[in-house]
Amino acid sequence: MQITRRHLSLAAGMAAAVALTAGALIASTAEAAPATGLAAPDFSGVTSAGETISLSDFAGKTVVLEWTNDGCPFVQKHYTSPPSNMQTLQKSAAADDVVWISVISSAPGKQGFADGARADALTAERGAAPAHVVLDPDGTIGKLYGAKTTPHMFVISADGALAYDGAIDSKATAKVSDIATATNYVTAALADIEAGRPVATPVSKPYGCSVKYK
């Protein structure tokens, strides 16, 4: 068959389309949230104390990631004292040698943004006890994990696999009175991991305020 200029033009167009599609797929994959059962993405971030930490620093330990925004009513529900639901979970985790990392992905000027001094003041005022508070004002870590709401909770098992992704509990309201009758998915996931069982509820729909990304 004789190859004409029209054939060459069509071939070039198809190659460009394939390249664009491949590029779109790469971009889509890069923004995809991690899946439970697979390796949790490593990250590095600066804490409220100015220290740089990475997930890999805690290899061999169970890790909880909590996305937070102190201006969000759903976060306030779980920090209200009493019952101090989030603080109690953090202290229980620490007692069990679980590393609890609170992450603030609010951008500067948006609800919940905190620099190191403000983040530490919030921890003190609320009697909170995370092992670290990581500041993520550009949203890099939040987008890496697909964090959608505050709170949005992730549990990573000691082998580095993402074991839980979702809500803190089963009642998607801002009512403090609902905490007592809700099923706490984070507590349940940590209990399953401690007992060496598969996490019974590895995924749930997170609820709360949208993460205030830039």
Side-chain angles (χ1 to χ4, degrees):
M1 181 180 68
Q2 183 178 4
I3 298 177
T4 65
R5 180 174 296 180
R6 182 170 180 274
H7 286 132
L8 291 172
S9 178
L10 284 172
M14 290 175 66
V18 169
L20 285 171
T21 302
L25 287 172
I26 291 168
S28 175
T29 301
E31 295 172 1
T36 55
L38 301 181
D42 195 12
F43 64 84
S44 292
V46 177
T47 71
S48 57
E51 176 188 13
T52 298
I53 63 170
S54 299
L55 178 62
S56 55
D57 295 339
F58 310 109
K61 291 191 174 185
T62 300
V63 176
V64 175
L65 302 179
E66 169 212 356
W67 260 263
T68 189
N69 162 4
D70 68 295
C72 169
F74 294 89
V75 170
Q76 292 168 356
K77 164 190 175 183
H78 291 288
Y79 276 97
T80 293
S81 179
S84 302
N85 187 44
M86 197 69 81
Q87 299 93 318
T88 301
L89 288 173
Q90 293 166 346
K91 291 171 184 174
S92 176
D96 292 336
D97 201 27
V98 171
V99 179
W100 189 292
I101 301 174
S102 300
V103 184
I104 301 174
S105 293
S106 295
K110 296 197 174 183
Q111 183 191 61
F113 170 74
D115 59 14
R118 182 168 186 271
D120 285 346
L122 284 168
T123 296
E125 290 167 9
R126 299 185 294 190
H132 303 281
V133 179
V134 168
L135 309 177
D136 181 41
D138 63 3
T140 299
I141 303 171
K143 292 173 184 174
L144 179 66
Y145 274 78
K148 297 178 178 66
T149 63
T150 51
H152 189 160
M153 311 298 295
F154 298 84
V155 179
I156 300 162
S157 55
D159 63 0
L162 185 63
Y164 177 73
D165 168 0
I168 184 172
D169 66 20
S170 61
K171 293 205 172 180
T173 75
K175 294 168 58 179
V176 175
S177 58
D178 281 341
I179 292 174
T181 54
T183 298
N184 192 299
Y185 294 133
V186 176
T187 299
L190 290 174
D192 285 340
I193 291 171
E194 176 67 21
R197 301 185 296 258
V199 172
T201 304
V203 177
S204 68
K205 184 178 180 180
Y207 71 87
C209 307
S210 61
V211 177
K212 303 301 186 278
Y213 292 117
K214 66 178 181 180

